[in-house]
Amino acid sequence: SAWNFWRAQHPKVWAKLLWFTHHIPSISTIVWMAIYNRLSTLDRLVVFGVRDTSRCVLCEADDENQNYLFFEWSYSFRIWSTMAA
């Protein structure tokens, strides 16, 4: 069926990094969704007609998408800067 087709056609590049013996299911699921750009960010909700605008509700500085939330948003940028130091 569809699952067998998907599994056969697409290599499991991330499988060992996400689905190991003592993984935390919720974290692994969120990372898996992020890898395939399937998180429910505002830009995706606009495409599906759930929202009217994709403007970030926290800062209203830019459109909310996955890249923005994890790397460009001022708060996440501070977190990455702290981790790099």
Side-chain angles (χ1 to χ4, degrees):
S1 84
W3 168 248
N4 289 326
F5 173 78
W6 178 261
R7 189 176 56 172
Q9 298 296 323
H10 297 79
K12 298 178 183 179
V13 177
W14 302 101
K16 291 181 183 178
L17 295 173
L18 294 176
W19 313 112
F20 53 94
T21 305
H22 299 292
H23 74 277
I24 301 170
S26 59
I27 302 295
S28 295
T29 302
I30 290 170
V31 172
W32 178 70
M33 290 175 66
I35 289 169
Y36 288 101
N37 197 25
R38 296 294 185 248
L39 294 175
S40 295
T41 53
L42 291 181
D43 65 329
R44 287 182 46 83
L45 295 177
V46 167
V47 170
F48 293 122
V50 176
R51 295 283 307 237
D52 293 333
T53 180
S54 62
R55 185 65 69 192
C56 179
V57 295
L58 299 172
C59 67
E60 297 184 358
D62 208 347
D63 289 338
E64 179 185 302
N65 58 43
Q66 189 171 298
N67 192 49
Y68 176 74
L69 286 178
F70 288 117
F71 304 109
E72 298 171 1
W73 184 39
S74 60
Y75 182 72
S76 60
F77 183 77
R78 281 186 270 152
I79 292 172
W80 284 109
S81 299
T82 304
M83 290 175 59

